[in-house]
Amino acid sequence: MSIGLLFALTPSAFAVTPASVSQDADVPWSSVVENPFDGKLVYDKHFTDNFAFVSSWSKQGIKYTEYWSDVVGYRRSWKSRRVWRHDRYIDERYSDPEPIYEKRSRLRSPKALLFSVQGKIYTYTGGEVGDELSAALASLPAGSSTIRAVWSNDQTTDFPIGAGTVEAWKTIFKVAPPPSRFGN
C-alpha cells in the first residue's frame, strides 16, 4: 500500500491538532461544526469589554486563545462644550487625553482545566480528551457550566461555559459504546 493511500485512509479527525479561532472569526459559536481536519467540534467565546478567551473543543483536544487590549499611549483629542460664563453660554474647546489601544493575543494554554461534574472533579492537561472526561462532559445537565483554568503559576481563573456549548459537548464527546462481545 502506498503512503499516499495510507494517509487517504486515515480519518481526518485524527490527523492534526485542532485549530484555534480568533474572537472575530465568522464561525457558528456554541454549535457543533463538522470540520474536515478536526471532525466534530464546538467554538466557544467568553468576553468582557477588553478581554476575550476563545476556545475550540473536540475529542482531539482543546485549544485556547486569549485576546486583550493594552493602552500603549495617549493622543490629544479636541472637544467642545457649552458652558455658562458671565451671564451667557459660550462654546469652549478643550483637550482630552484619549487612550491608544493595541490589540494583543496569545495562545495561552492552562496547565490544567478542571471540570466539576455531579460532585466529581475531572482534570484535562492536554492532548486528546480521554473517555472518562468525554463521558462526564457528555453527561452534563442542560444549562451553563463553569470550568476552572489552572495556569503555570498555579493561579486559577473560572470561566463560564454557555448552555449552547454544554449542549454541543453531548454530541462532540459522546463515547461510543463498546463493541458487542458477540459480534452483533
Side-chain angles (χ1 to χ4, degrees):
M1 185 181 308
S2 76
I3 291 177
L5 182 56
L6 180 61
F7 282 120
L9 295 175
T10 303
S12 61
F14 299 102
V16 296
T17 304
S20 56
V21 295
S22 76
Q23 66 180 350
D24 300 319
D26 185 18
V27 298
W29 298 99
S30 301
S31 299
V32 177
V33 175
E34 186 71 40
N35 182 292
F37 296 102
D38 305 324
K40 290 181 180 171
L41 65 102
V42 62
Y43 299 112
D44 189 72
K45 176 168 58 170
H46 169 70
F47 58 94
T48 61
D49 289 340
N50 63 349
F51 171 83
F53 191 71
V54 177
S55 54
S56 61
W57 302 78
S58 76
K59 287 281 284 178
Q60 290 66 50
I62 303 167
K63 289 284 188 185
Y64 324 87
T65 307
E66 183 179 25
Y67 297 88
W68 72 99
S69 297
D70 279 338
V71 175
V72 294
Y74 291 88
R75 67 177 150 245
R76 180 174 290 177
S77 172
W78 288 97
K79 298 181 178 183
S80 63
R81 62 184 166 204
R82 193 172 257 294
V83 294
W84 182 260
R85 293 270 163 93
H86 307 293
D87 74 349
R88 65 186 170 113
Y89 283 103
I90 61 169
D91 290 328
E92 176 182 83
R93 282 190 52 152
Y94 66 98
S95 70
D96 193 20
E98 184 176 285
I100 301 168
Y101 292 98
E102 186 173 290
K103 291 184 178 185
R104 303 188 186 223
S105 69
R106 70 176 158 217
L107 210 54
R108 183 179 182 202
S109 292
K111 138 172 116 170
L113 275 182
L114 305 177
F115 302 86
S116 177
V117 180
Q118 298 171 353
K120 184 174 178 185
I121 303 297
Y122 295 86
T123 303
Y124 172 80
T125 57
E128 189 170 317
V129 177
D131 286 345
E132 186 180 11
L133 177 56
S134 290
L137 294 175
S139 73
L140 279 169
S144 58
S145 186
T146 301
I147 63 171
R148 176 165 289 171
V150 180
W151 306 104
S152 60
N153 62 1
D154 290 327
Q155 287 185 325
T156 61
T157 307
D158 289 353
F159 291 105
I161 301 293
T165 298
V166 171
E167 188 61 31
W169 285 351
K170 294 178 185 327
T171 300
I172 290 169
F173 295 114
K174 183 178 179 181
V175 177
S180 170
R181 294 184 347 195
F182 304 107
N184 296 2

